[in-house]
């Protein structure tokens, strides 16, 4: 059984091959990263972007890691989701795109 069942960004299943436009948010609008976890016991989950830890928690398995964050400046950042638990280590890069303003139209 895999530790991580599903990763969601902004309530959509995260897929690195999907057009990043699906996940974009304007400046100051909240992003939401979730990881649905399997197994038993506890897992430590952490999401870092450019060396800064945005969320960190211990989750009772099975359970959900939930991380909410926003940015004041536009740009593309690469975050790293790290989860350790159930004798497994999981690591996934997550692209975070922040727009100057909301799309028009």
């Amino acid at each position: 059984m895999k530790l991580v069942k599903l990763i969601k960004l902004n309530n959509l299943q995260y897929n690195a091959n999907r057009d990043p436009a699906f996940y974009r948010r304007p400046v100051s609008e909240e992003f939401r990263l979730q990881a649905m976890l399997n197994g038993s016991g506890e897992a430590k989950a952490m999401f870092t972007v450019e060396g800064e830890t945005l969320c960190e928690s211990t989750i009772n398995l099975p359970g959900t890691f939930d991380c909410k964050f926003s940015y004041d400046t536009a740009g593309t950042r690469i975050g790293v989701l790290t989860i350790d638990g159930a004798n497994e280590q999981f690591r996934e890069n997550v692209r975070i795109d922040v727009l100057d303003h909301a799309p028009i139209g």
Side-chain angles (χ1 to χ4, degrees):
M1 179 179 358
K2 289 175 52 174
L3 174 62
V4 179
K5 289 193 292 193
L6 177 68
I7 297 172
K8 290 168 54 172
L9 181 60
N10 301 330
N11 296 317
L12 292 172
Q13 182 173 348
Y14 184 74
N15 180 339
N17 297 320
R18 178 181 270 168
D19 181 350
F22 283 97
Y23 307 113
R24 290 183 181 132
R25 290 283 187 259
V27 167
S28 298
E29 191 170 313
E30 187 174 78
F31 284 86
R32 183 176 188 194
L33 177 72
Q34 295 172 289
M36 285 54 171
L37 308 175
N38 272 323
S40 59
E42 289 185 339
K44 285 195 154 300
M46 182 168 55
F47 185 61
T48 58
V49 178
E50 298 174 342
E52 179 186 355
T53 300
L54 299 182
C55 301
E56 186 173 16
S57 60
T58 300
I59 296 107
N60 291 320
L61 299 176
T64 301
F65 173 65
D66 200 353
C67 181
K68 295 177 182 177
F69 56 95
S70 62
Y71 282 98
D72 300 350
T73 58
T76 298
R77 298 159 176 90
I78 301 297
V80 180
L81 174 63
T82 308
I83 301 170
D84 294 319
N87 296 320
E88 192 179 326
Q89 288 189 317
F90 176 87
R91 183 180 169 99
E92 175 91 19
N93 290 340
V94 179
R95 179 178 169 156
I96 305 297
D97 284 310
V98 183
L99 302 171
D100 281 330
H101 51 78
I104 299 169

